[in-house]
Amino acid sequence: MASFWFRSPDPPPKEERTVPVLALVPAVLVVTVEQLVQWQYGAAGVLGLLLLAIGVGPNRPGISSAGAVLLALLVTRPAL
């Protein structure tokens, strides 16, 4: 009877530590787009993407507009 009170509980089952494909694909896509923008437009392009992402998240139109304008200026620079 005493062993019943002092028995250790069964260990929890080991969970598989796999990343769902649905979470991995967007992460790879975001990193790829960021690398392409940095390669094409440099640090200013990454700053524009960062401002756009920061502004869209908490719904701040001024910050997202600044990022969009910066990206638009970088894209249309050769046409000017």
Side-chain angles (χ1 to χ4, degrees):
M1 192 64 134
S3 65
F4 173 75
W5 293 104
F6 296 108
R7 187 175 66 152
S8 63
D10 294 333
K14 289 187 178 181
E15 297 177 6
E16 293 183 54
R17 297 178 191 265
T18 59
V19 177
V21 175
L22 294 177
L24 187 61
V25 170
V28 169
L29 184 67
V30 166
V31 170
T32 303
V33 168
E34 181 182 352
Q35 290 297 318
L36 286 173
V37 167
Q38 184 170 3
W39 172 67
Q40 185 72 28
Y41 302 110
V46 173
L47 179 65
L49 275 178
L50 182 67
L51 287 173
L52 189 62
I54 288 173
V56 168
N59 198 12
R60 300 184 114 184
I63 295 174
S64 62
S65 296
V69 167
L70 181 59
L71 286 174
L73 287 174
L74 288 172
V75 169
T76 60
R77 179 175 52 189
L80 295 177

